[in-house]
Amino acid sequence: LFRGIGRFETDMGYPPGSVLELIFGETAYIGSEGNPDGGDPIDGAVPESASAVTHDWHRLEVGEIAFEEYMAGVVQRAPEVIGREIDLDAYQQFTRDMPLGIHWPVVHRIRRLRGDGLKVGLLTNNVKEFGSAWRATFPVDDLFEVVVDSSEVGMRKPDPRIYLLTCERLGVAPAASVFVDDNRDNVEAARAV
């Protein structure tokens, strides 16, 4: 997600890191100086506590606001964050041109795990309005017995309650489960549970 954001910012004349700060409230991203290990800082990191919802993006992920309201906030914050109005047409074209990355070896591994009789669930921080789009990119319902979507349950990783809910829905004890994520904060929160 968001490969090429630096080039987009340069092409548009926006300050480096400003679009991610505007959209997500984060300045670091995969492979950047602030996040050399990769992973998705947007997905989990929160400054106050694991259950804090601190930015409109987080509010969107827990279904507290709709995408339309979120985008109105982006437009309103743009002059302060990027120094001028955001060119929404150019940004939307950038996001349309950005391919979603599916890690097919992981998909095949999940199939093998299910074939071995293990219960497999998907815990995702997501946006309600994006549901049909991301679900169409790979065979979600064939792969997972349970899908816990932040926008449907009103909480997001790294909130401890969402890990407990996922385990409950899968019918497994937290200590008997394994959690895999591309965000260290989410993994540490799961480990604490």
Side-chain angles (χ1 to χ4, degrees):
L1 188 63
F2 284 90
R3 291 178 195 93
I5 190 72
R7 187 179 69 250
F8 172 75
E9 289 172 333
T10 299
D11 291 350
M12 297 302 296
Y14 301 144
S18 63
V19 173
L20 291 177
E21 183 178 349
L22 173 64
I23 302 295
F24 302 112
E26 298 283 349
T27 55
Y29 202 64
I30 295 175
S32 69
E33 248 180 68
N35 187 23
D37 297 329
D40 186 347
I42 297 157
D43 205 30
V46 291
E48 292 145 19
S49 73
S51 60
V53 175
T54 59
H55 186 272
D56 278 356
W57 180 256
H58 301 162
R59 295 175 64 216
L60 182 63
E61 285 182 322
V62 298
E64 188 178 309
I65 61 174
F67 188 71
E68 187 175 300
E69 182 180 349
Y70 166 76
M71 287 306 295
V74 166
V75 169
Q76 183 179 1
R77 288 188 306 274
E80 179 183 329
V81 178
I82 65 174
R84 64 174 194 239
E85 290 183 9
I86 187 167
D87 183 334
L88 277 182
D89 290 336
Y91 176 72
Q92 289 169 342
Q93 185 63 50
F94 167 73
T95 60
R96 279 192 301 272
D97 293 344
M98 191 176 35
L100 287 175
I102 304 300
H103 296 277
W104 288 105
V106 174
V107 170
H108 298 310
R109 179 67 177 144
I110 293 167
R111 284 190 175 116
R112 288 194 305 275
L113 291 171
R114 292 275 318 256
D116 290 344
L118 293 174
K119 294 180 179 182
V120 182
L122 174 64
L123 170 55
T124 179
N125 285 356
N126 229 309
V127 175
K128 184 174 285 189
E129 290 86 348
F130 298 171
S132 59
W134 72 263
R135 282 178 168 270
T137 61
F138 67 106
V140 174
D141 295 320
D142 293 341
L143 294 172
F144 303 102
E145 292 178 54
V146 168
V147 175
V148 176
D149 183 318
S150 65
S151 68
E152 294 174 2
V153 299
M155 57 187 117
R156 64 189 289 278
K157 300 176 286 184
D159 186 330
R161 299 173 303 163
I162 200 166
Y163 302 104
L164 293 170
L165 176 66
T166 304
C167 288
E168 178 185 308
R169 288 186 177 179
L170 276 170
V172 298
S177 65
V178 174
F179 176 76
V180 178
D181 201 277
D182 65 347
N183 179 292
R184 184 166 294 159
D185 294 327
N186 292 340
V187 172
E188 292 303 322
R191 183 175 287 131
V193 170

